[in-house]
Amino acid sequence: MRTLDASTPSPTALLSAAARAAHPLADQPPHLLNDTDAQALCSLFEPSPLSYQLGAAQHPIMAAARISTVARSAFAGRLIGDSGLGQLLVMGAGLDTSVSTGFGGRVLAVDRPDVLGWRAELVAEAGIEDASIPVAADLTEPGLVDALGAAGLDATAPTAVVALGLSMYLTAADNRAWLTALSCLPPGSMVVFDALLPDVDADEAGRGYAAAITANAGGREPWHWRPSADEVDMTLKASGWGSVAITAESDAVPAAFWQANPGLVRQRLVQLIHAQVLPPTTL
Ligand SMILES: C[S@@+](CC[C@H](N)C(=O)[O-])C[C@H]1O[C@@H](n2cnc3c(N)ncnc32)[C@H](O)[C@@H]1O
């Protein structure tokens, strides 16, 4: 049995998996997703991070973390499905298989080398089918494009890039760097990611949530970037992306889910972002 301790390569990746695992057990339907892989991964740990989630499922911080985690995955899953794109690049993949399950084309999973090694061990132990190609890259360092090329990224194929629960752990400059590198993908490629509003743009519930997470988990994996919607837009455009659409998390979650779960708070903190590589303009 494994434990969540100081040697865990990414506690936030495990807690994200636990949130996805807990959602169908803790929340009333209609569910946003049903991540049985995450449940299998949690069962490798003692105590199980899933039991921890379920033990305090309605605590406001726990519930908000869970809803954010499943809302971003469901949002990305919908856009990936609608796009019809044939190559998927999952940035900061952690232990997530939810966005790639059932994807028909090539999937590349980027994360730090230690996290990818841990992911491979856990996936094998849990008997999960994971066809993603690991791409070891620390996004605070140069070398992403070379690593993707070496791993077999088809640079001529329009690609869906998904980066969930990642942008806050990188600086503005590091986020600009990976966005700029990937904007060289062919027109039709898209990126989906989430970003946290700064306190000044969040509501009281969002500010309280951010303060609680920072106090509890800020040491190992601290937050570095909480851009306003304008900053997200400018960052994407300066990095070569266009057609930027920003959706508030609460609007991305179907009304029927909120109605079935009246105890959950629709906090204003998380922005769900979608942008595309546009064709070159012709004069
Ligand atoms: C909150 S977890 C999210 C994992 C996954 N995307 C999910 O939604 O379950 C953040 C992930 O970002 C990865 N990450 C953070 N900093 C990174 C960096 N500098 N380079 C590559 N990956 C990084 C972590 O290793 C971790 O897997």
Side-chain angles (χ1 to χ4, degrees):
M1 273 292 169
R2 292 170 177 268
T3 52
L4 169 55
D5 57 30
S7 69
T8 301
S10 173
T12 62
L14 183 58
L15 296 176
S16 296
R20 287 190 300 275
H23 170 59
L25 305 171
D27 300 312
Q28 295 302 313
H31 294 126
L32 281 62
L33 53 76
N34 183 18
D35 190 344
T36 51
D37 286 354
Q39 290 174 1
L41 289 170
C42 287
S43 71
L44 302 175
F45 289 80
E46 184 59 48
S48 165
L50 174 55
S51 310
Y52 176 63
Q53 256 282 349
L54 295 177
Q58 300 315 319
H59 184 282
I61 304 301
M62 196 71 97
R66 182 173 68 252
I67 300 311
S68 289
T69 305
V70 296
R72 71 191 188 211
S73 288
F75 180 79
R78 265 197 312 276
L79 287 166
I80 294 167
D82 291 350
S83 74
L85 293 169
Q87 183 167 251
L88 175 61
L89 180 52
V90 187
M91 305 293 292
L95 301 178
D96 188 10
T97 56
S98 70
V99 287
S100 54
T101 298
F103 184 78
R106 178 183 291 146
V107 181
L108 296 100
V110 175
D111 212 306
R112 296 184 315 240
D114 56 334
V115 175
L116 287 178
W118 178 59
R119 173 186 169 110
E121 284 173 18
L122 293 178
V123 157
E125 273 175 46
I128 291 169
E129 249 180 64
D130 176 22
S132 64
I133 302 165
V135 185
D138 185 331
L139 299 171
T140 63
E141 293 170 6
L144 173 64
V145 171
D146 288 348
L148 288 171
L153 178 87
D154 179 354
T156 66
T159 299
V161 180
V162 173
L164 303 179
L166 173 68
S167 71
M168 56 295 291
Y169 298 106
L170 301 174
T171 62
D174 289 333
N175 277 300
R176 256 198 320 276
W178 71 261
L179 284 164
T180 301
L182 297 182
S183 70
C184 299
L185 286 163
S189 296
M190 69 171 198
V191 64
V192 185
F193 67 103
D194 53 324
L196 302 175
L197 287 167
D199 272 354
V200 65
D201 294 334
D203 64 5
E204 195 180 338
R207 283 193 293 275
Y209 173 82
I213 297 291
T214 304
N216 280 323
R220 286 271 318 268
E221 294 178 284
W223 288 346
H224 296 297
W225 195 49
R226 290 179 60 190
S228 66
D230 283 349
E231 186 181 347
V232 167
D233 189 64
M234 281 186 302
T235 300
L236 279 162
K237 287 177 179 158
S239 306
W241 295 85
S243 196
V244 178
I246 303 180
T247 306
E249 175 188 274
S250 59
D251 294 339
V253 172
F257 176 79
W258 290 123
Q259 279 155 15
N261 292 273
L264 297 177
V265 175
R266 305 176 200 205
Q267 68 185 18
R268 178 171 165 73
L269 179 67
V270 180
Q271 314 171 78
L272 297 172
I273 299 143
H274 179 218
Q276 288 172 296
V277 177
L278 301 177
T281 46
T282 46
L283 293 177

